[in-house]
């Protein structure tokens, strides 16, 4: 896909890029060494930018490629850097300060869950290991919340961030994450249908106040789906983008969550009550007996 991209050249936007394709200049290799394609001055700059992009791609320099390619087209970077991607989503306590309660990550190493009061402090280090972040509305909500909570100096910055909310909207797939999933045939199991962000707040409160581990398990499962479903959505969005551009590039095999569900079950079972949870439960029971 990147070899077909010309929007990293100053003055080349979507329309001019398509015009180059229509003239048979479909990839960087097709851009002629001589003659006039755009204009004499623009062609000199174009050849220089193509050479720079080719070198950046050869050394897998995601940061440089992300700098050159317009943010709206960062989805084109995905095939080359998918092994460096992390898909994540957060839940918060619903307060004005928006404290993160549960954060789930999915990357090439598998699933990772970070829970307030347990291991949330380890989140920045885990996210720093991945160069490409994939979210849905994460640039507007998840990342700002995490930066505020951990402090901007203590929170990593990715080399590229693909926010699928805006990618899917440009591709004509409007709506929220779960609505888009249903439209694309990758919806959630029945027990998670209709669960929303406010429910996530209520589940957290139930866990916090009563040490209700089942509420925590439900919350974590909901959040896990918010993270790993992004992999399927990323694949589908990329393929639709390639289709819309009518480009002769390999389509991605869409991720299927089936192989991951065992890991989901294992993680949920490991969320046994902590000593603090047991203390909370004992205190609540004692209060009930005294009343």
């Amino acid at each position: 896909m990147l070899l077909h991209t010309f929007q990293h050249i100053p003055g080349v936007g979507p329309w001019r890029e398509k015009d180059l394709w229509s003239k048979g200049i479909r990839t960087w290799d097709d851009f002629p060494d001589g003659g006039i394609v755009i204009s004499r001055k623009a062609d000199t700059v174009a050849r220089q930018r193509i050479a720079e992009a080719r070198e950046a791609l050869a050394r897998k320099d995601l940061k440089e490629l992300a700098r050159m390619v317009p943010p709206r087209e960062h989805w084109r970077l995905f095939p080359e850097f998918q092994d460096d991607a992390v898909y994540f989503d957060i839940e918060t306590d619903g307060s004005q300060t928006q404290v993160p309660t549960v954060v789930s990550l999915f990357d090439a190493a598998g699933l990772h869950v970070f829970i307030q009061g347990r291991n949330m402090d380890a989140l920045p280090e885990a996210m720093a290991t991945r160069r490409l972040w994939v979210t849905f509305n994460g640039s507007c909500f998840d990342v700002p919340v995490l930066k505020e909570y951990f402090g901007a100096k203590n929170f990593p910055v990715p080399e590229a961030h693909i926010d699928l909310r805006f990618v899917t909207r440009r591709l004509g797939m409007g709506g929220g994450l779960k609505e888009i999933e249903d439209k694309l045939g990758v919806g959630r199991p029945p027990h998670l249908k209709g669960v929303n962000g406010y429910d996530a707040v209520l589940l957290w409160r139930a866990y916090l106040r009563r040490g209700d581990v089942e509420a925590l398990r439900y919350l974590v499962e909901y959040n896990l789906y918010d993270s790993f479903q992004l992999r399927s959505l990323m694949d589908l969005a990329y393929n639709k983008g390639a289709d819309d551009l009518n480009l002769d590039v390999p389509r991605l095999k869409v991720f299927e969550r089936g192989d991951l569900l065992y890991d989901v079950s294992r993680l949920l079972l490991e969320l046994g009550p902590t000593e603090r949870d047991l203390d909370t439960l004992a205190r609540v029971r004692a209060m009930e007996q005294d009343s």
Side-chain angles (χ1 to χ4, degrees), residues 190-235:
H191 69 288
L192 292 176
K193 292 284 187 181
V195 182
N196 56 41
Y198 183 63
D199 295 322
V201 172
L202 297 180
L203 288 167
W204 177 252
R205 290 175 181 172
Y207 165 66
L208 203 61
R209 292 170 181 172
R210 302 192 300 273
D212 190 336
V213 177
E214 287 306 309
L216 178 63
R217 287 184 175 131
Y218 201 173
L219 170 60
V220 169
E221 183 179 16
Y222 168 76
N223 184 246
L224 280 167
Y225 270 81
D226 275 350
S227 61
F228 66 73
Q229 288 277 92
L230 293 175
R231 174 57 200 266
S232 300
L233 183 57
M234 182 71 247
D235 293 338

Side-chain angles (χ1 to χ4, degrees), residues 139-156:
S139 61
C140 298
F141 181 73
D142 303 62
V143 172
V145 167
L146 293 174
K147 279 186 176 180
E148 179 68 22
Y149 177 75
F150 289 104
K153 293 182 179 179
N154 301 317
F155 197 69

Side-chain angles (χ1 to χ4, degrees), residues 3 24 49 65 190-191 281 286:
L3 298 179
R49 293 303 293 268
L65 288 167
H191 69 288
L281 186 58

